[in-house]
Amino acid sequence: MDILRFITAGSVDDGKSTLIGRLLYDSKSIMIDQLEAIEKQTKNKKDGEIDLALLTDGLRAEREQGITIDVAYKYFSTPKRKFIIADAPGHVQYTRNMVTGASNSDLAIILVDARNGVAEQTRRHSIIASLLNIPHIVVAVNKMDLVNNSGDVYNNIVIEYAAFAKSLGLKDVKYIPISAINGDNIVEKSDSFPWYEGSSLLDILETVEVANDINLKDARFPVQYVIRPQTEALHDYRGYAGKLLSGVFKTGDAVTILPSGIESKIKLIEIGGKEIAEAFAPQSVVLHLENDIDISRGDTIVHSDNLPTSSNELEVLLCWMDNKPLVAGNRYLLQHNSRIVRAVVKEIQYKLNVNSLDEEQAPEKVSLNDIVRATIKTASPLVFDSYKKLRTTGGAILIDETSNVTVGACMIQ
Amino acid sequence: MTEKRLDYLEQLESESIHIFREVAGQFEKPALLFSGGKDSIVLVHLALKAFRPGKFPFPLVHIDTGHNFKEALDFRDTLAAEINEKLIVRSVEETIKKKNLTEPKGKFASRNALQTYTLLDTIEEYKFDVLIGGARRDEEKARAKERIFSVRDEFGQWDPKLQRPELWNTYNGKITKGENVRAFPISNWTELDIWNYIRREKIELPSIYFAHDREVLEHEGQLVATSEFITLEPEDKISVKKVRYRTVGDMTCTAAVQSAATTIDDIISEIIATKTSERGETRIDDKVSEAAMEDRKKNGYF
């Protein structure tokens, strides 16, 4: 049993909350008292049926306005998997929320309204999924009941989307016809689509292979914390605590500490106080090195024959997440795993149209939800990989030092 | 060579240890809120994995309402002594006296709301800049939206509309003086994950989590232990039942469940079969309004 983290992209109008409610309800993850609370609220609304969307709309403001304004996390499990859903709103003014939810997802469910086909919103969600490098995509064509469960309508949508997915370079795309409101093809395969040969949505979610998405080639170990008991018995103990973000380490491996470039060998690897011969991503471990070197939080340990890029100039795709606009020349803190450095946004090359992927002229001021291509200069060198190669060492955030708010998400190119 | 993949509990464990170490790396004065309940016991277990053989870079802190179960308090003291870590206990009772606060009235008078005062005073006293807590996102709808690093203003208030975006495994712990952060390492764990982990790691728990005989009164379908903190009335139906606790909070607002489960395996079977959520079955204080938890959080509750 493992974990699948997925994001549902779509708006209330696409039936996104209903889909999530349906997955939770039909997989028996909703408890009686939670259902009763929903029933009580549903009575105050127009429809007579239970409003499954109420399950995910957590905050009062959302319930009052009937919209989803933030990322909510929902959990359910089957005997095969534990699922973590990042439920993010889909309108263009919530691009930052979708980017946030997508950053940790293994899979994205892109909801398409069967009546509208591949719409502007569908393209936007797919573009964001590709920018955030989500490995697996499921296109769920919803509201099939409103197009008489027509196989022709469905097939036309699949053909149109497939061409678009190819242009985006999306690799693993699956398609499924559903009706979230009726529960068709959600948990059980439905009789409503005799022309559909695939399995149910839950079955797809249970079986999509995610273990291979973890990079076991390029070892990257940012040091988070140095364990030094300094007791009599453990006088010389010096352990570097951190999470192996990718790759494998074995005792005896030749390693380099970045950014200093000092070389050493792995003497010992510990996990939860036990010695192990090798560690692999995404384990949290403690490393001991042969030599006594000055290593602290923010340093990265890698294999000497497999080095990441070290540079103080980064080319990034930047999603702006703050109400205050970004202007070229602004200074921020850049947080990249355990390292925080001062940074300045030197130049903004172009703005990406998230509905079409067109490169548009760089705006004077970059606004909330804009995605731009920019050059960032850091005060000291950063150790990174391209986001396309490694999501874990290719992503960074910008922090406004005057407000401490996270204002930008950088995907290093 | 063995296959290099983690199962789901190992993945959760690694994520939680990573969060613990981020807290230790980013803050000056952390503290771990420890009540002797199962979630905070799991937190301590994860902290041991994150920092041993070193000492914890933080003390354990308990805000004692004075209405706690004795079994949980004893367990709290024993565990803190066993692992040789500092335990700070601050009492709501004393805050009430010192500040002339009004005790809530009613049959199940709960000091839950008053806890906030003591908590904020304790933060002030020790200048804590981050409190590590065992809240899980599956517990409640408002918690489902809370960040792993959740920033509070100087009044301890949470503003759900001004949360920082949290991307990848990067947690922004920058704050200004007066603000502090609540960090939740087990955000992504569910109740069942906690129990499965307790079973795998053979983690010890206070005895009240297992079935035992207890004098209870029946109140609107819930079983509440009789104690000096509850006002009994002549018409109350009191009986001795075999019960266990699914959560451990104050005696005044935590209900027991009828159960014969004496082992972790038994408990897990019961949880898998149950049709009621953890909070719904055991918390009397969440039923007041639809947004009860959201309101308390906004006011500085954990």
Side-chain angles (χ1 to χ4, degrees), chain A residues 255-400:
Chain A
V255 293
T256 298
I257 292 87
L258 295 170
S260 71
I262 298 170
E263 297 188 353
S264 185
K265 272 191 177 143
I266 295 177
K267 187 165 84 183
L268 186 80
I269 309 171
E270 285 177 288
I271 187 162
K274 286 189 200 82
E275 198 180 322
I276 50 171
E278 67 170 12
F280 57 90
Q283 282 178 323
S284 282
V285 297
V286 176
L287 296 184
H288 297 255
L289 301 183
E290 292 285 357
N291 321 61
D292 226 355
I293 315 164
D294 181 25
I295 299 177
S296 51
R297 177 176 165 83
D299 290 342
T300 303
I301 302 176
V302 301
H303 278 137
S304 300
D305 61 359
N306 181 342
L307 302 179
T309 312
S310 281
S311 171
N312 58 1
E313 203 161 276
L314 322 172
E315 290 298 317
V316 301
L317 271 180
L318 174 61
C319 174
W320 196 247
M321 302 185 146
D322 198 33
N323 287 315
K324 283 190 289 182
L326 160 73
V327 181
N330 283 9
R331 286 167 193 283
Y332 299 97
L333 292 176
L334 184 143
Q335 185 173 354
H336 176 254
N337 290 313
S338 60
R339 192 168 164 84
I340 298 179
V341 295
R342 283 181 197 286
V344 56
V345 179
K346 258 176 58 183
E347 196 193 338
I348 296 157
Q349 283 94 342
Y350 59 82
K351 177 181 162 176
L352 198 69
N353 183 323
V354 286
N355 297 324
S356 65
L357 216 55
D358 290 341
E359 294 170 12
E360 295 173 352
Q361 198 192 343
E364 192 90 344
K365 290 175 172 180
V366 179
S367 321
L368 176 67
N369 295 311
D370 281 352
I371 296 182
V372 295
R373 168 89 181 217
T375 309
I376 292 178
K377 196 166 181 225
T378 57
S380 50
L382 208 68
V383 174
F384 60 87
D385 295 278
S386 77
Y387 189 79
K388 273 265 180 278
K389 179 179 172 185
L390 278 170
R391 287 214 282 178
T392 43
T393 42
I397 60 168
L398 290 181
I399 299 168
D400 180 337

Side-chain angles (χ1 to χ4, degrees), chain A residues 3-9 16 19-21 23-24 71-77 81-88 98 100-110 134-138 186 201-202 204-206 208 210 391:
Chain A
I3 301 178
L4 180 82
R5 292 171 199 253
F6 68 93
I7 183 169
T8 45
K16 175 177 64 90
L19 170 70
I20 295 172
L23 271 173
L24 298 172
V71 189
Y73 295 89
K74 284 277 151 193
Y75 304 82
F76 70 104
S77 48
R81 251 189 188 149
K82 173 186 167 88
F83 297 95
I84 302 179
I85 313 174
D87 176 17
M98 190 181 158
T100 302
S103 72
N104 281 321
S105 294
D106 307 307
L107 179 147
I109 297 179
I110 309 257
I134 299 179
H136 311 278
I137 305 287
V138 175
I186 306 296
L201 180 62
L202 184 63
I204 292 174
L205 297 176
E206 281 183 327
V208 62
V210 291
R391 287 214 282 178

